[in-house]
Amino acid sequence: MTTCGEFLVKQLQAWGVDTVFGIPGVHTVELYRGLPGSGIRHITPRHEQGAGFMADGYARVSGKPGVCFIITGPGMTNILTAMGQAYADSIPMLVISSVNERERLGLGKGYLHELPNQRAMTAGVSAFSHTLMSVEELPGVLARAFSVFEGERPRPVHIELPLDIITADASHMALAPRPVVRRPAPNRTLIREAAGLLKQAERPLLLLGGGCVAEAEARALAAALDAPTALTINAKGLLPPGHPLLLGSNQSLRPVRDLALEADVVVAIGTELGETDYDVVFDGDFRLPGRLIRIDIDAQQLHRNFTPHLAIQGDARVAMRMLLAEFNPREADPGSPGARRALAVQTRLNEDFSGWTHYRQLFATLLQALPEARFVGDSTQTVYSGNHLVELDGARRWFNSSTGYGTLGYGLPAAIGAKLAEPSRPVISLMGDGGIQFTLPELASAVEAGVGIIVLLWNNAGYGEIKRYMERRDIEPIGVDIYTPDLLAIARGFGCAAERARDHAHLAELLRSAPADRPLIIEVQEAAPFHP
C-alpha cells in the first residue's frame, strides 16, 4: 500500500522539490515514511521558526518554493512568524502540517496538540490554507499552491493533513503533471500609454522593488529611459555598483526625496512603495507629485500607499520587455542628463555618509576578502548601514529582515537555507548579539548539515538600536541592556569555529580561512578599531 504521506513525497519530488525542512513529531512521522530513498534532502532545524526562515532563504536563492513539514499545534504556532516574514516579502513557501483526525477536529476535548482552528491562525500569513478531507484532493490542492507560487504574487501556502488522511490508502492515485502557469502579461494599450508619457518626460525616475528581479531588463530599461533608479532592499543588485543611474536604496534620505519631488514621471515596478523602504525615518515625507505609473502583479497593491496616474497589472519582467520594445535600445551614458541628475544625488549622499567611514571600511574588508559573497541579514546595525551603503552585482545577494515584517532571528537560519540553495557561493549572515539569541540553536542544524556559512556577529551587548531609539525620545532605557553570554564559547560548544576579530586585517584573514563544512562565527565588537 502507498499511503497518502508517501504519495505526497513522490508528488513533491516529481514537481522538483529537492529539500524539506522539518522536525519529526508523533503527528508527522507518517509524512516521513516516504522520504528515505526519495532523493529529497531533509534538514532538521531546532525550532519550527528556524524551519520557516531556512525555507525562506532557500526560496529566495533557488527560485523554488521552500517546503516545510510541521507538526500539529505548537509546530504551527512556532512557524507563524517565519510565514509572516515570507508573506510580507512575497516569498513562496509551502507549509505542510498534520492536524488531528477528521472526526476530532474542533471538538476541544484536549487531544494531543489540539487547536480550535489551525487554518484560522494562518489566514493572515498565507495566500490560502486548506484542510485535506480526502486523499483524492491532494494533487489539486498542490496544483493550487504551485499556481500561487508561479502565476501570481508568491506567498506562503498552508496545507494540513488530518492524521487519518496521512495514513489513508493512495495506491490508486497517479502522479499528476506539474501545472504550467504563467503570470499575466500587461495590457499592451496601457504599456503604450506609459511609453508615451515617458517619451515626453524630462525628469523621469525609476523605482524598482523585489517584485521585478530581472537584471537584464531592469538595466536596459534604466538606460533606455535615462532615468535615475532607486532600488528597494530586496531589489539590490538589479543595477551594479558604479552604474551612472544608480541611487542605491536611499529613498528615505533627503537627496533622493528631493529628486522624487522634481520628477515629472515616476515608474514604480514591483514595489509596495512601503514605509520600510521609502520612509525608514518615519516622517511621512516621501512624496511623488509627478505622474506615477505603477506596474505590479498584485492588482490591489497598485492602489496602496500612492495612487497612480496609470495602473498596470502584470508580470514585471514581461512589462519591462514590452516597455523596452517601445524605445530605442541604448547604453547607460555617464554624461546623459539622467546620469548627471543621479551624480548630483550621489554626491550629496556621500556627504551624508561621511561619518560612516567605519561601516564603509568594514564592508570593504568583507568584499575584498569574499567578492562574490551573499549577505543574509537580521535587524542589526550592520544591516541598517549596509542597506544604504552596499551595492552588489546580481539580485538576491543582499536580503534581510529589517524591512516589511521586521522580525529578529531571521539572519542565521535564512543564511543556512541560502547556502543550501547555492553551496558554491560564500554566505555571510549579518547578526547582532541580541538577534542571534532568538535562533542560536540553529548553529547545531548547520553543523549537522555541514553548512559552511560565516556569521558576522556585531556585538554591542544588548539591543543597541532600540536603546538609541528610546534615548532620542527621552525614555529611560529599560530592557535593552541585556545579559550577553559568551557567544563564541557557545558557538564552539555547538561545533562551530569561532573567533573575535582584532582588526580589519585579522577579519580578512578569518574570512579567507573559513571552514567549508561548518559555520564560522566572527565576533566584531562595537568598539575600536571597528567603531570610533
Side-chain angles (χ1 to χ4, degrees):
M1 185 181 87
T2 298
T3 67
C4 180
E6 291 173 298
F7 179 82
L8 169 65
V9 170
K10 292 179 180 179
Q11 187 69 82
L12 291 175
Q13 185 181 22
W15 287 3
V17 173
D18 57 20
T19 304
V20 166
F21 304 91
I23 303 174
V26 294
H27 278 189
T28 56
V29 290
E30 289 296 337
L31 289 177
Y32 284 77
R33 186 181 293 278
L35 278 179
S38 69
I40 294 179
R41 167 180 53 184
H42 183 270
I43 303 296
T44 308
R46 297 308 186 258
H47 190 281
E48 286 86 3
Q49 187 176 112
F53 288 151
M54 288 180 195
D56 178 304
Y58 172 88
R60 293 184 198 235
V61 173
S62 70
K64 301 178 180 180
V67 180
C68 302
F69 283 0
I70 302 298
I71 66 161
T72 322
M76 283 307 305
T77 53
N78 285 343
I79 202 174
L80 287 176
T81 296
M83 292 177 69
Q85 185 70 43
Y87 186 89
D89 283 353
S90 303
I91 304 302
M93 181 187 297
L94 179 58
V95 177
I96 296 174
S97 81
S98 53
V99 73
N100 294 99
E101 292 91 339
R102 287 172 293 178
E103 64 182 17
R104 294 182 171 185
L105 290 177
L107 295 182
K109 292 186 175 182
Y111 298 116
L112 179 65
H113 300 329
E114 184 181 15
L115 284 170
N117 190 333
Q118 288 188 163
R119 288 179 57 198
M121 286 195 319
T122 65
V125 291
S126 64
F128 73 85
S129 176
H130 182 89
T131 304
L132 204 70
M133 299 305 287
S134 71
V135 174
E136 289 76 18
E137 291 178 21
L138 182 57
V141 177
L142 286 175
R144 283 180 60 201
F146 276 75
S147 295
V148 169
F149 302 149
E150 299 172 0
E152 55 186 80
R153 184 177 186 175
R155 275 176 159 160
V157 168
H158 170 234
I159 301 173
E160 59 181 16
L161 281 67
L163 297 178
D164 55 323
I165 291 292
I166 296 176
T167 57
D169 189 358
S171 303
H172 60 290
M173 302 277 289
L175 293 177
R178 181 167 177 161
V180 178
V181 180
R182 296 287 182 269
R183 292 188 173 93
N187 180 281
R188 188 171 298 277
T189 300
L190 293 177
I191 288 289
R192 287 175 176 163
E193 184 178 346
L197 290 172
L198 287 163
K199 287 175 182 178
Q200 297 172 10
E202 296 180 355
R203 297 176 304 282
L205 174 64
L206 188 56
L207 305 175
L208 301 181
C212 59
V213 179
E215 295 165 36
E217 290 81 359
R219 296 176 187 190
L221 185 61
L225 301 180
D226 190 31
T229 302
L231 308 174
T232 66
I233 306 306
N234 285 322
K236 273 189 179 292
L238 290 184
L239 269 60
H243 192 285
L245 294 167
L246 180 61
L247 303 173
S249 303
N250 298 300
Q251 298 91 311
S252 295
L253 302 183
R254 190 74 264 160
V256 178
R257 290 182 166 191
D258 288 344
L259 191 70
L261 289 173
E262 298 168 359
D264 53 358
V265 179
V266 178
V267 187
I269 307 177
T271 172
E272 295 175 323
L273 297 175
E275 179 180 74
T276 53
D277 277 300
Y278 294 85
D279 190 19
V280 294
V281 292
F282 308 117
D283 65 1
D285 200 33
F286 180 82
R287 290 173 287 156
L288 296 172
R291 290 184 173 182
L292 175 60
I293 301 168
R294 295 191 71 171
I295 300 173
D296 204 285
I297 191 69
D298 185 346
Q300 295 184 58
Q301 194 60 48
L302 288 167
H303 295 275
R304 292 182 178 132
N305 294 320
F306 289 84
T307 301
H309 173 79
L310 187 61
I312 304 175
Q313 183 190 11
D315 179 73
R317 186 190 299 270
V318 175
M320 288 191 286
R321 288 178 178 174
M322 292 171 67
L323 269 177
L324 284 166
E326 301 292 325
F327 291 85
N328 294 322
R330 60 190 289 185
E331 296 294 325
D333 178 8
S336 69
R340 290 197 299 271
R341 291 165 56 224
L343 179 60
V345 172
Q346 293 160 4
T347 301
R348 290 178 60 193
L349 287 171
N350 285 332
E351 294 172 356
D352 290 346
F353 296 143
S354 60
W356 295 24
T357 305
H358 47 292
Y359 292 119
R360 285 189 185 277
Q361 190 174 1
L362 176 66
F363 284 111
T365 300
L366 296 174
L367 287 168
Q368 286 167 7
L370 298 173
E372 299 303 314
R374 171 176 284 117
F375 295 83
V376 183
D378 213 59
S379 290
T380 188
Q381 192 58 49
T382 48
V383 167
Y384 304 142
S385 58
N387 284 345
H388 292 286
L389 296 175
V390 174
E391 300 300 338
L392 300 167
D393 192 357
R396 300 304 196 201
R397 284 186 58 191
W398 179 279
F399 56 88
N400 54 70
S401 63
S402 71
T403 61
Y405 202 52
T407 186
L408 280 171
Y410 171 88
L412 172 58
I416 295 170
K419 185 69 172 179
L420 289 167
E422 189 182 359
S424 61
R425 187 184 292 275
V427 175
I428 299 176
S429 174
L430 301 174
M431 298 291 293
D433 60 285
I436 199 171
Q437 293 184 66
F438 278 58
T439 49
L440 187 61
E442 301 307 346
L443 289 175
S445 310
V447 171
E448 183 176 74
V451 176
I453 62 170
I454 297 167
V455 179
L456 188 76
L457 180 61
W458 187 261
N459 192 340
N460 57 16
Y463 299 124
E465 184 66 17
I466 302 303
K467 182 177 181 178
R468 285 186 285 271
Y469 193 84
M470 295 172 82
E471 289 172 339
R472 287 195 297 268
R473 284 154 181 78
D474 295 322
I475 300 171
E476 182 178 351
I478 185 170
V480 290
D481 293 315
I482 60 173
Y483 170 73
T484 303
D486 186 340
L487 294 167
L488 296 183
I490 293 172
R492 294 186 189 110
F494 277 123
C496 303
E499 298 286 345
R500 178 176 295 119
R502 297 186 300 270
D503 52 34
H504 289 93
H506 186 219
L507 173 60
E509 178 186 334
L510 292 171
L511 291 166
R512 294 190 183 100
S513 60
D517 61 345
R518 58 191 172 125
L520 166 64
I521 286 72
I522 304 175
E523 184 182 71
V524 175
Q525 292 185 316
E526 192 180 55
F530 292 99
H531 197 286

